Amino acid sequence: MTNRFYPNPLKTLSIATLLAAAAMLGGCFGDDPAWNGKDISGLMPKLAFELTDTSGDTVTAEQTDGEIRMLFFGFTSCPDICPATLQKLSKAVKDLPAELQADTRIVFVSVDPQRDTPERIDSYVSFFSDRAIGLTGEEPALRELSKRYRTTFGYDEPDAEGNYNVSHSGAVYVFDRDGNARLLLRPELSAEDIRADLIALAEETSS
């Protein structure tokens, strides 16, 4: 992958920190052999947000009702976790049957509103998938949303050039067509694992 979406390269994020956060989230829930991801049904609140999309318009979760949504927190200058996760999610969606692709959405929420303008986020998510939307908002709204799903993010001190790292979890939250939290996808899952879960969830919610 080229660096055209990373005009200000950052230092490598602490992988140990990110994996520890994902492990903490994953440890809250038991394994269910029916899913590759963690079953979080009934353990987290429904999908709810009011953020800004890449056109500068306000978007709410209700506007995406009827779709299976994969929520992921990140930032466009992320050197590793974000592009790897978005690439994996995009492949999982691309490999779905055509009728399911149209009902599946990747929701990328930037937690770096200071640098991530709507235009920059649009360029970023469009590179990965036409089934991805990019959102952001004021920091208090982003804090509230991340807290709602038991995660957090933080900013390191800027270096001499003004660049800084943003720490965040690599977990992905999957919501069904009614907005119910259903699965937590851990970083180690493959695109094939995710695809299988999406198909199973789509078949369940359409029956």
Side-chain angles (χ1 to χ4, degrees), residues 12-202:
T12 303
L13 288 173
S14 170
I15 301 300
T17 299
L18 297 176
L19 292 180
M24 178 182 69
L25 283 166
C28 298
F29 317 110
D31 286 310
D32 184 338
W35 303 100
N36 294 307
K38 293 280 188 177
D39 187 350
I40 58 174
S41 301
L43 299 176
M44 281 193 175
K46 295 185 71 168
L47 184 61
F49 59 75
E50 184 173 320
L51 297 171
T52 303
D53 68 9
T54 56
S55 297
D57 298 324
T58 298
V59 174
T60 65
E62 289 78 8
Q63 290 173 256
T64 62
D65 279 353
E67 300 177 331
I68 293 172
R69 288 146 289 180
M70 294 181 283
L71 175 68
F72 175 61
F73 297 93
F75 63 115
T76 68
S77 298
C78 180
D80 40 38
I81 297 296
C82 298
T85 300
L86 287 171
Q87 185 175 37
K88 188 187 302 182
L89 296 180
S90 298
K91 177 171 172 47
V93 173
K94 184 178 180 181
D95 290 344
L96 289 171
E99 64 274 14
L100 296 186
Q101 287 185 37
D103 292 336
T104 306
R105 182 77 62 180
I106 301 166
V107 181
F108 174 79
V109 177
S110 169
V111 292
D112 187 15
Q114 182 174 332
R115 292 179 294 188
D116 284 347
T117 63
E119 295 79 14
R120 183 167 177 169
I121 298 172
D122 182 49
S123 230
Y124 187 72
V125 297
S126 297
F127 174 75
F128 290 100
S129 175
D130 60 3
R131 296 304 303 160
I133 58 172
L135 304 171
T136 193
E138 298 294 330
E139 187 178 337
L142 297 171
R143 293 280 180 200
E144 182 179 350
L145 181 61
S146 65
K147 183 179 179 181
R148 182 177 177 86
Y149 299 110
R150 304 181 192 176
T151 187
T152 188
F153 59 89
Y155 308 110
D156 290 351
E157 288 296 321
D159 62 20
E161 297 178 350
N163 296 322
Y164 55 88
N165 290 333
V166 181
S167 59
H168 62 92
S169 169
V172 177
Y173 307 84
V174 183
F175 299 83
D176 64 21
R177 299 178 194 276
D178 296 321
N180 300 307
R182 299 299 306 278
L183 297 170
L184 180 76
L185 305 179
R186 298 159 294 181
E188 64 267 24
L189 290 181
S190 68
E192 289 71 26
D193 291 333
I194 296 169
R195 173 183 175 273
D197 277 357
L198 292 176
I199 290 175
L201 185 56

